[in-house]
Amino acid sequence: MSKSIEAIDLDVYYGSFLAVEGVNIRIEPRTVTAFIGPSGCGKTTFLRTMNRMHEVLPNATVKGQLLLDAEDIYASGVDPVRVRSKVGMVFQRPNPFPTMSIRDNVLAGFRLNGIRMGKAQADEITERSLKGANLWNEVKDRLDKPGSGLSGGQQQRLCIARTIAVQPEVILMDEPCSALDPISTLAVEDLIGELKEHYTIVIVTHNMQQASRVSDKTAFFNIAGTGKPGKLIEFDYTDKIFSNPSVQSTEDYITGRFG
Amino acid sequence: MSQTETRGSAVAQTTDTEQPPVDAPAGVPLDNRSGRFGDRLFSGISLAAGIVILVVLAGVAAFLIRDAIPAVVASPEELDRDTSFWGYVGPLVAGSVVASLIAILVATPVGVGIALFISHYAPKRLAQPLGYVIDLLAAIPSVVYGAWGALVFGAALVPGYAWLSEHLSFIPIFGPTHSTTGRTLLTAALVLAVMVLPIITSLCRELFLQTPKLHEEAALALGATRWEMIKAAVFPFARAGIVSAVMLGLGRALGETMAVALVLSPGPLTASLISTGNSTIPAEIALGFSEAFGIRRSELIAAGLVLFVITLVVNVLARLVVARYKDFSGAN
């Protein structure tokens, strides 16, 4: 489990529009990396290239290489479906399947991939994943109730449980706390700290305190202006980015003197 | 209820007047009488519309029951046939239900498939024209379907029927002989299938397009293929709607008159779907009503009442099916 990710000269296009240009980054296994930057700078776009989710949108393409350990996930013949089962994703808004029970939501990754399992094994995976997402004690008595009946924070942790149930190598999080209240946010942040022991985690966030709390390294993305491509400006240890960044625009952004 | 409301608004008004003059724009008075009048007017109109529907429905039911009773209670001698009313209407019910069920069984998978193709598989340039063509199927008058079914489609099916009766005649529905004109219950059912196809397709297409992106992406991000994503996100979201679409289609098929009347050469009930015989309630009424009077007319109206009850039961069942999944509909 847990692989490194390396992008080499990665460009992302929507049709002919270059959205993100020339990203070079190496993310080590079992670390938390935060992507920060102003809206529209391509953080989320780049994040979605890491499990080939961006190509769900029509006409989205990628140039360059994205290595998962040593394997280029954009090499010809690579099945995006296989990539996504190795690189899990948690979305901005909690999105448990509303028609499934809590248990079925956790097991959705297996059911989708047509994996049959006995009840004992299913119970074990459900319990392990929900414990892993710090949700077990809150829902263990109502596993057969719909997942949409939980609170927002619980739903998001259910989505994390669903993601870790299939034991991915990498977990991508796209502003996972932006729809949550502070207490739920804290619960998810604590969880990220625990998940780091087993997974490589990349998190997009607009909240700089959150980036400094949860991440080992931080990448700052910026955009020169509307219609221009987003770029990776600086990537370094989180302490360094927030205390002594080496690029002026990073400092402007984190001190709020931006724009 | 209305009393507390008026009291509430009176309190609101007094506090309004006690407020120091605010810089509200001069043209906007704080008491919104005209707005409340509009509200009341609209709720009155919608209440009236609801009542009218119920009155019409009750009126139709009352008419059917009043005119049907003489035939239902009549003895075989009075009806001038060797069975009671139930013996007469039974075969017609069987014909109606069988034809409609076959139509739905054929049209549902095809309709859902086309809807999925349009909503999730086809490139946009192909999806839209295809959608229009399907909608156009609904614009063809049923008498045209009937003529087409009787003259072209039925005749085209005859070789198929010949093959069925030759090789599968040990199954009763592919009976010992086959019709040489193709004007059989199976042809009628297939014409009905084509007729209900646009209903199912266009309703399902709209539903599938409304699937939340969030849920589709959740499935894809878990490593679902497109088909697995559809099973996990699209179908559960659309389940209740698919049931309604199928029930609407079934209602159309059960009540369809003209096409069946033209396609079918009616006859007594037989098990075979591919030989001459069988009839449906609407076709029987359409073919017989203009020449019927007295007890015969009452008999046809009673047959209509039976159809009315069947459709009602179908709709209630559909509601029950939909309600069973209410907790998991995503509406909460």
Side-chain angles (χ1 to χ4, degrees):
Chain A
M1 290 209 300
S2 184
K3 293 188 171 175
S4 69
I5 309 165
E6 186 170 7
I8 301 168
D9 293 330
L10 195 86
D11 298 335
V12 189
Y13 292 86
Y14 290 117
S16 59
F17 173 67
L18 179 58
V20 179
E21 185 181 23
V23 176
N24 285 285
I25 195 170
R26 183 178 162 80
I27 294 167
E28 298 298 330
R30 280 185 290 280
T31 58
V32 178
T33 303
F35 288 178
I36 60 169
S39 296
C41 69
K43 325 177 279 293
T44 296
T45 299
F46 176 58
L47 188 81
R48 287 169 64 98
T49 62
M50 294 164 109
N51 66 346
R52 298 191 63 166
M53 271 304 283
H54 80 295
E55 60 200 66
V56 170
L57 303 170
N59 301 322
T61 51
V62 162
K63 270 187 199 158
Q65 284 181 299
L66 213 157
L67 308 180
L68 192 64
D69 271 0
E71 201 183 354
D72 185 1
I73 64 169
Y74 284 97
S76 64
V78 171
D79 182 358
V81 169
R82 301 292 289 275
V83 171
R84 291 177 202 141
S85 61
K86 286 187 175 179
V87 183
M89 190 161 202
V90 177
F91 292 83
Q92 198 166 350
R93 292 192 37 205
N95 56 353
F97 296 116
T99 53
M100 292 185 191
S101 66
I102 292 170
R103 181 202 308 274
D104 288 342
N105 259 292
V106 175
L107 298 172
F110 296 96
R111 300 271 155 83
L112 283 173
N113 296 321
I115 298 167
R116 303 251 166 252
M117 61 177 88
K119 189 176 181 306
Q121 200 194 349
D123 286 347
E124 195 240 302
I125 290 173
T126 308
E127 183 170 345
R128 173 170 53 74
S129 308
L130 286 170
K131 279 183 172 160
N134 291 339
L135 191 61
W136 174 251
N137 286 328
E138 292 158 65
V139 300
K140 64 185 174 194
D141 301 324
R142 44 174 172 160
L143 293 174
D144 293 318
K145 293 277 171 359
S148 49
L150 298 175
S151 76
Q154 289 172 327
Q155 287 189 19
Q156 194 62 302
R157 278 179 284 148
L158 177 59
C159 293
I160 293 173
R162 177 175 71 184
T163 307
I164 60 180
V166 292
Q167 300 192 309
E169 321 273 359
V170 178
I171 301 176
L172 308 176
M173 297 186 174
D174 183 5
E175 299 183 43
C177 302
S178 63
L180 306 185
D181 67 273
I183 291 169
S184 305
T185 300
L186 197 65
V188 172
E189 285 181 8
D190 288 346
L191 177 58
I192 291 171
E194 290 167 27
L195 293 174
K196 184 172 84 165
E197 292 170 25
H198 302 288
Y199 303 99
T200 309
I201 295 173
V202 183
I203 174 171
V204 167
T205 178
H206 270 132
N207 179 333
M208 279 181 277
Q209 283 77 28
Q210 180 169 65
S212 65
R213 280 195 299 263
V214 301
S215 68
D216 302 301
K217 284 183 141 189
T218 297
F220 173 62
F221 287 79
N222 203 356
I223 187 168
T226 34
K228 302 266 175 54
K231 286 181 179 171
L232 174 61
I233 304 297
E234 189 171 354
F235 175 53
D236 213 325
Y237 288 99
T238 300
D239 294 342
K240 178 145 190 312
I241 291 273
F242 282 96
S243 59
N244 185 23
S246 40
V247 182
Q248 183 62 38
S249 66
T250 312
E251 188 170 345
D252 289 349
Y253 183 73
I254 60 165
T255 55
R257 262 185 289 140
F258 192 80
Chain B
M1 178 71 191
S2 68
Q3 254 185 349
T4 48
E5 259 174 27
T6 35
R7 211 184 307 141
S9 57
V11 170
Q13 272 169 11
T14 48
T15 46
D16 280 346
T17 48
E18 279 163 17
Q19 295 286 327
V22 242
D23 317 328
V28 185
L30 286 174
D31 65 323
N32 190 6
R33 268 179 213 288
S34 57
R36 215 170 298 134
F37 170 74
D39 237 17
R40 235 181 268 145
L41 180 74
F42 189 76
S43 84
I45 290 175
S46 42
L47 180 67
I51 291 172
V52 165
I53 293 279
L54 285 180
V55 167
V56 168
L57 197 67
V60 170
F63 153 76
L64 283 176
I65 291 169
R66 189 198 67 198
D67 284 18
I69 283 175
V72 176
V73 297
S75 65
E77 296 81 54
E78 285 173 285
L79 290 172
D80 196 21
R81 60 176 83 243
D82 19 310
T83 63
S84 72
F85 168 73
W86 298 108
Y88 158 73
V89 84
L92 295 176
V93 170
S96 285
V97 170
V98 167
S100 303
L101 282 182
I102 294 174
I104 284 298
L105 284 179
V106 173
T108 302
V110 177
V112 170
I114 296 173
L116 261 188
F117 178 73
I118 293 173
S119 67
H120 282 83
Y121 284 93
K124 208 167 184 150
R125 230 174 309 157
L126 190 61
Q128 266 193 339
L130 194 62
Y132 290 137
V133 169
I134 297 290
D135 287 346
L136 214 61
L137 280 180
I140 300 175
S142 59
V143 66
V144 175
Y145 274 113
W148 170 73
L151 299 175
V152 182
F153 189 54
L157 287 175
V158 170
Y161 292 161
W163 187 88
L164 283 175
S165 70
E166 194 177 330
H167 295 93
L168 297 175
S169 58
F170 58 90
I171 308 172
I173 58 169
F174 299 127
T177 58
H178 67 91
S179 156
T180 49
T181 57
R183 296 174 62 181
T184 69
L185 194 70
L186 188 57
T187 307
L190 293 176
V191 171
L192 286 177
V194 178
M195 296 177 72
V196 299
L197 192 64
I199 297 178
I200 295 178
T201 303
S202 55
L203 284 173
C204 286
R205 180 190 59 196
E206 291 308 312
L207 279 167
F208 293 163
L209 285 173
Q210 282 168 19
T211 312
K213 278 277 163 301
L214 219 54
H215 297 147
E216 293 185 1
E217 294 200 334
L220 290 173
L222 282 171
T225 61
R226 200 186 296 224
W227 171 237
E228 288 162 350
M229 178 272 280
I230 286 167
K231 280 191 294 183
V234 179
F235 282 159
F237 173 78
R239 181 162 45 200
I242 294 175
V243 172
S244 322
V246 168
M247 289 305 151
L248 268 176
L250 189 55
R252 169 94 206 259
L254 278 170
E256 177 50 43
T257 308
M258 211 53 219
V260 179
L262 288 183
V263 168
L264 206 57
S265 55
L269 183 72
T270 66
S272 172
L273 298 176
I274 60 168
S275 57
T276 316
N278 294 321
S279 189
T280 69
I281 293 175
E284 174 80 3
I285 296 174
L287 295 175
F289 199 76
S290 56
E291 290 154 26
F293 54 91
I295 193 79
R296 171 70 179 140
R297 173 163 284 189
S298 164
E299 194 175 49
L300 290 175
I301 289 173
L305 179 63
V306 170
L307 188 66
F308 183 77
V309 171
I310 292 174
T311 324
L312 207 67
V313 168
V314 163
N315 276 305
V316 169
L317 286 180
R319 295 262 165 193
L320 289 179
V321 170
V322 171
R324 254 186 66 200
Y325 293 107
K326 210 173 71 185
D327 278 355
F328 289 86
S329 72
N332 45 359

